[in-house]
Structures are given as C-alpha cells and as structure tokens.
Amino acid sequence: MPDEPPPPPPVSDSPKSTGLPSNIAAALACIPLIGGIVFYILEKHDSFVRFYSMQSIILGGAWLLFSIAASVIGLIFRSIPVIAGVLDFFWGIIVGVINIAFVVLWIIATVKAFTGVRWEIPYIGPMARKQVETAP
C-alpha cells in the first residue's frame, strides 16, 4: 500500500475547558513549566491534558533547579585558583549534555502528546500520574 496517513489521535468524550482538541492542548502544555502551569489551571476536565501539564510542570521545575545548581557549582569551580579552567571546561560539557537530555525529553513528550499517545517520562511520569489522579 502506498503512503497511508497516520490514524487520527483518540478523541475523548469529556468536555474541554480550553476549547482545543486534546492533542493540541497537551502538546502546548508540554512547554516546560509555563505551558504546564497555564494548561493545568485552564483545563479542569481532560485528564490527558492535565497529565501532560503536570508532567511539564515537574520537568520544567527539575530543569530550573538543575540550572540553578549548575550555575552555583560553576561559580565554585571558577573560584578554585589553579584548576579552575579545567574544572569549568569539564563542568560545561556535563551541563551541556544534561541540557540536551532535557530538550530531547521535552521534544519526545511534545510529539507523543501531539500524536495522542500518553507517554510517561521516566521517573517524572509516575509522579505526574499520581498528582493528576489525586487532584480533585
């Protein structure tokens, strides 16, 4: 068979507070921290969007905390007299790799949300699911 279009994302029957289709709202909610907070506040009924919103909030919070900690550690490394350059170089590589990992997780989550697939980021997804299930 020649190129067949992909199947449409599943449509939930629950009412939507945002007026957007679930997959679009969930993909927008994947914008770390800010998108998650906005859609978690706006969307009260769609569990798919709320899950991706909470996952985005946790991922964005972890990314923010990592950035702050990496900056503090970088300042400490730069203050060591003899080996500051070497430590700062290697720390920069480590921070770069971890930031790339955060971006890759963000892109994968956004693509999965847009295609209508519920995907849990390792370690973060179970926390988000637990928060969404216990929320009123």
Side-chain angles (χ1 to χ4, degrees):
M1 300 225 178
D3 299 323
E4 291 184 26
V11 178
S12 67
D13 295 331
S14 62
K16 290 156 185 66
S17 302
T18 60
L20 294 170
S22 291
N23 65 328
I24 302 293
L28 290 172
C30 285
I31 298 170
L33 208 54
I34 296 170
I37 291 169
V38 168
F39 278 92
Y40 193 78
I41 291 170
L42 291 178
E43 185 59 64
K44 300 294 183 196
H45 306 290
D46 193 340
S47 64
F48 183 70
V49 175
R50 289 183 62 82
F51 167 74
Y52 272 104
S53 297
M54 183 55 68
Q55 194 165 245
S56 169
I57 291 168
I58 297 170
L59 178 69
W63 200 349
L64 179 66
L65 290 175
F66 169 75
S67 297
I68 292 169
S71 296
V72 169
I73 292 171
L75 287 172
I76 292 170
F77 283 169
R78 283 183 220 112
S79 68
I80 299 174
V82 177
I83 56 173
V86 174
L87 288 175
D88 194 38
F89 173 75
F90 286 114
W91 184 245
I93 291 173
I94 292 168
V95 168
V97 168
I98 293 173
N99 278 323
I100 289 171
F102 274 114
V103 170
V104 167
L105 287 174
W106 173 28
I107 291 171
I108 292 171
T110 303
V111 169
K112 294 286 188 178
F114 188 73
T115 57
V117 176
R118 185 181 212 123
W119 179 68
E120 292 186 354
I121 296 173
Y123 302 106
I124 293 173
M127 289 187 291
R129 183 175 16 91
K130 189 186 304 182
Q131 288 296 320
V132 171
E133 289 173 355
T134 59

